[in-house]
Amino acid sequence: MASQDHIRNHVERGFDQSRFAVLTVESLGRSVRGSQESRDAAMPPVRRIKAADLGDVLVRGIDDFEAYRTDIIFLCLIYPVVSIVLVWLTFSHGMLPLLFPLASGFALVGPFAAVGLYEMSRRREQGIRITWLDAFGVIRSPRFGAIMVLGLALLAIFLLWLLAANLIYQFTLGPEPPISIAAFAREIFTTSAGWAMTLIGVSVGFLFAVLVLTISVVSFPLLLDRDVGLATAVRTSIRAVAANPSPMAVWGLIVAGGLVIGSISAFLGLIIVMPVLGHATWHLYRKVVP
């Protein structure tokens, strides 16, 4: 009798786990698709802005950062830590040619990494007292599944960029790894193959950056802010970039320049640069999507 109960309990647990998995998949599907009302509604309008508006966006981002500086700095300590770990792995595993692609590729996953900062700006906008713990409030968002799917898409793009960067190295300076940093730098700046790798790599990296900017510049904030599906969020982001090509190009340069500055001081500058850019992105969304 005990054996039958034991078997029955296993069957029941298996059934419960299966039912939970089905409910999870259904919830993810609803999050990605959006509600029926949102699918029937018109696309969110997109406003034209000027490059001068980006100054106001940055000022508002700095203001958000200063309002909760201690909490945000504590939260953003993870950025330089992760960057330093990646650099260490690059050196310890003989992947020196991927050092720059790794550092520059951080911009490709940056929009997803800053989701918690968007949430903090959103709550501050509503007059809610916030701490760094509120950055994790995004987990309770009805569109969290869609946010995760878009984040995984950016991660896939980042991995494709690393693969492309490695192939470019293999066909120019490779296939043997460099013997030292000095030798690698000498090959880059004093050989035609090194210049070819740099030019091709920068060009390909630029295309990856444009792709990520286009599909994500307002997607994540829109998913946090409104009842929309993933497709609507991405399409709105594409429309926002198409309607504002010059301001968005300038914004992309600001983000790239900020990340370079933040990375120079052993990535410690990211503790300030990332939150300012993250909060500013929320206010950019507010300007573009009324």
Side-chain angles (χ1 to χ4, degrees), residues 27 30-32 138-146 223-224 227:
S27 177
R30 286 194 299 270
S31 176
V32 172
V138 64
I139 296 175
R140 296 189 295 273
S141 169
R143 271 77 61 190
F144 181 66
L223 286 169
L224 279 175
D227 177 19

Side-chain angles (χ1 to χ4, degrees), residues 68-89:
Y68 301 103
R69 185 183 308 143
T70 303
D71 287 316
I72 292 173
I73 287 178
F74 177 77
L75 175 68
C76 294
L77 282 173
I78 188 173
Y79 298 131
V81 170
V82 170
S83 300
I84 291 171
V85 169
L86 289 175
V87 170
W88 176 77
L89 289 173

Side-chain angles (χ1 to χ4, degrees), residues 60-61 64-65 116-126 130 275 278-280 282-283:
R60 291 173 181 269
D64 282 355
F65 172 72
L117 298 168
Y118 308 153
E119 176 67 4
M120 293 180 76
S121 287
R122 187 183 73 86
R123 294 192 178 205
R124 187 187 181 214
E125 192 177 74
Q126 296 174 350
I130 57 176
H279 292 307
W282 172 263
H283 296 290

Side-chain angles (χ1 to χ4, degrees), residues 137-208:
V138 64
I139 296 175
R140 296 189 295 273
S141 169
R143 271 77 61 190
F144 181 66
I147 291 170
M148 288 299 299
V149 170
L150 185 55
L152 290 174
L154 295 193
L155 179 60
I157 292 173
F158 172 64
L159 295 176
L160 286 174
W161 157 239
L162 292 182
L163 176 61
N166 185 57
L167 289 174
I168 292 169
Y169 173 79
Q170 295 296 325
F171 285 109
T172 52
L173 291 178
E176 295 299 323
I179 58 176
S180 67
I181 297 179
F184 185 45
R186 187 164 54 250
E187 288 182 334
I188 291 175
F189 294 109
T190 63
T191 66
S192 58
W195 281 106
M197 183 193 72
T198 302
L199 292 175
I200 297 172
V202 169
S203 300
V204 173
F206 172 77
L207 295 177
F208 276 99

Side-chain angles (χ1 to χ4, degrees), residues 54-64:
L54 300 180
D56 181 58
V57 163
L58 287 171
V59 168
R60 291 173 181 269
I62 293 171
D63 185 56
D64 282 355

